[in-house]
């Protein structure tokens, strides 16, 4: 079975709880994390170790971008919780796995699946992006260097919440219904057929719209950690252990 999990942000114990609850079997199941595997939470190092050990996949998020560019010396460090990861002997190997992740990924439903075909992305898509398969081939196929991490397309995919029809982004990050005009939630402009499954918007929490689903339920802030099984179209959650 294929599982998607919302923003971990270093919440390793909840990640372990959730894998146990869904009875995740690395030999039979497939795991996709929706970006922001690291930072803010208590143990990014343990979260990445577990993700690696169960054969996890993922799409890159804005906090992953931050960690990679800090480790590369390209960005200055702000207040973060990345110290143990950056200091660990296996840190470079784990960060290389983050850097290798795609920016977006199309994952069709398997035979007999109860769930839809999906695009996985951390935050969302630009209203004027019509050929997502072409975009994925071009963006994912480019060298995953520091310039790639700073590119406008990756920035949009990892940061958008509210935007205009022309793709101008707002920094507003609270409830979707409160996006200040003329900005609207990015998904109101999405016209594709596959469902888009994403993270990034903790204030919005887990929701399911006509063509989009959000799995960032704010575990790092005390909310649950959320997973969705594509094959069974089923959601599972575990509570935070303290935010």
């Amino acid at each position: 079975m294929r599982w998607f999990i919302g923003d971990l942000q270093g919440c390793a114990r909840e990640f372990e709880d959730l894998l146990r609850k869904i009875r995740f079997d690395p030999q039979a199941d497939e795991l996709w994390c929706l970006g922001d595997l690291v930072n803010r939470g208590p143990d990014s190092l343990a979260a990445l170790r577990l993700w690696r050990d169960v054969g996890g996949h993922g799409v890159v998020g804005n906090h992953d971008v931050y960690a990679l560019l800090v480790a590369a010396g390209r960005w200055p460090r702000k207040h973060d919780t990345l110290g143990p990861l950056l200091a660990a002997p296996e840190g470079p190997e784990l960060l290389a796995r983050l850097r290798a992740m795609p920016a977006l990924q199309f994952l069709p439903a398997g035979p007999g699946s109860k769930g839809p075909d999906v695009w996985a992305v951390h935050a969302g898509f630009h209203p004027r992006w019509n050929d997502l398969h072409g975009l994925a081939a071009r963006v994912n196929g480019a060298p995953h260097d520091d310039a790639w991490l700073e590119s406008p397309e990756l920035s949009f995919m990892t940061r958008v919440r509210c935007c205009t029809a022309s793709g101008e982004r707002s920094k507003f990050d609270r409830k979707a219904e409160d996006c200040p005009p003329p900005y609207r939630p990015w998904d109101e402009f999405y016209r594709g057929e596959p469902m888009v499954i994403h993270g990034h918007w903790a204030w919005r929490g887990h929701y399911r719209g006509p063509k989009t689903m959000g799995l960032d339920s704010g575990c790092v802030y005390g909310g649950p950690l959320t997973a969705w099984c594509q094959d069974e179209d089923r959601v599972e959650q575990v509570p935070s252990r303290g935010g």
Side-chain angles (χ1 to χ4, degrees), residues 9-29:
Q9 297 210 249
C11 295
R13 294 189 301 168
E14 291 88 346
F15 185 22
E16 188 174 4
D17 291 343
L18 188 52
L19 291 177
R20 186 180 301 113
K21 182 176 183 181
I22 65 177
R23 299 180 180 180
F24 186 81
D25 180 358
Q27 302 304 314
D29 300 329

Side-chain angles (χ1 to χ4, degrees), residues 5 8 14 57 83:
I5 295 182
L8 295 178
E14 291 88 346
H57 307 276

Side-chain angles (χ1 to χ4, degrees), residues 20-76:
R20 186 180 301 113
K21 182 176 183 181
I22 65 177
R23 299 180 180 180
F24 186 81
D25 180 358
Q27 302 304 314
D29 300 329
E30 184 179 325
L31 175 68
W32 282 82
C33 288
L34 296 174
D36 282 5
L37 282 75
V38 300
N39 202 19
R40 285 200 173 140
D43 205 336
S44 295
L45 177 58
L48 286 188
R49 282 172 173 162
L50 181 54
W51 171 70
R52 174 197 62 194
D53 292 347
V54 299
H57 307 276
V59 291
V60 69
N62 57 298
H63 281 276
D64 309 317
V65 169
Y66 168 80
L68 290 165
L69 291 174
V70 163
R74 187 146 176 148
W75 283 6

Side-chain angles (χ1 to χ4, degrees), residues 24 29 35 46 51 66 77 91 103 106 127-128 130 140 146 151 193 195 197 204 220 227 237-238:
F24 186 81
D29 300 329
W51 171 70
Y66 168 80
R77 284 189 72 179
F106 180 65
R128 293 181 176 174
N130 296 317
N140 294 339
D146 292 347
S151 67
E193 282 304 314
M195 174 170 280
I197 187 163
R204 196 172 190 178
V220 75
Q237 293 182 318
V238 294

Side-chain angles (χ1 to χ4, degrees), residues 166-219:
S166 63
E168 180 186 350
R169 296 200 322 255
S170 168
K171 293 183 178 180
F172 181 83
D173 66 353
R174 302 294 164 152
K175 293 182 178 180
E177 58 267 29
D178 294 332
C179 284
Y183 302 99
R184 300 303 306 147
W186 70 268
D187 50 287
E188 291 190 8
F189 304 109
Y190 176 65
R191 296 294 180 264
E193 282 304 314
M195 174 170 280
V196 180
I197 187 163
H198 68 94
H200 187 60
W201 205 336
W203 267 87
R204 196 172 190 178
H206 166 55
Y207 80 95
R208 184 164 186 164
K211 288 289 184 178
T212 59
M213 183 189 304
L215 294 186
D216 182 8
S217 42
C219 183

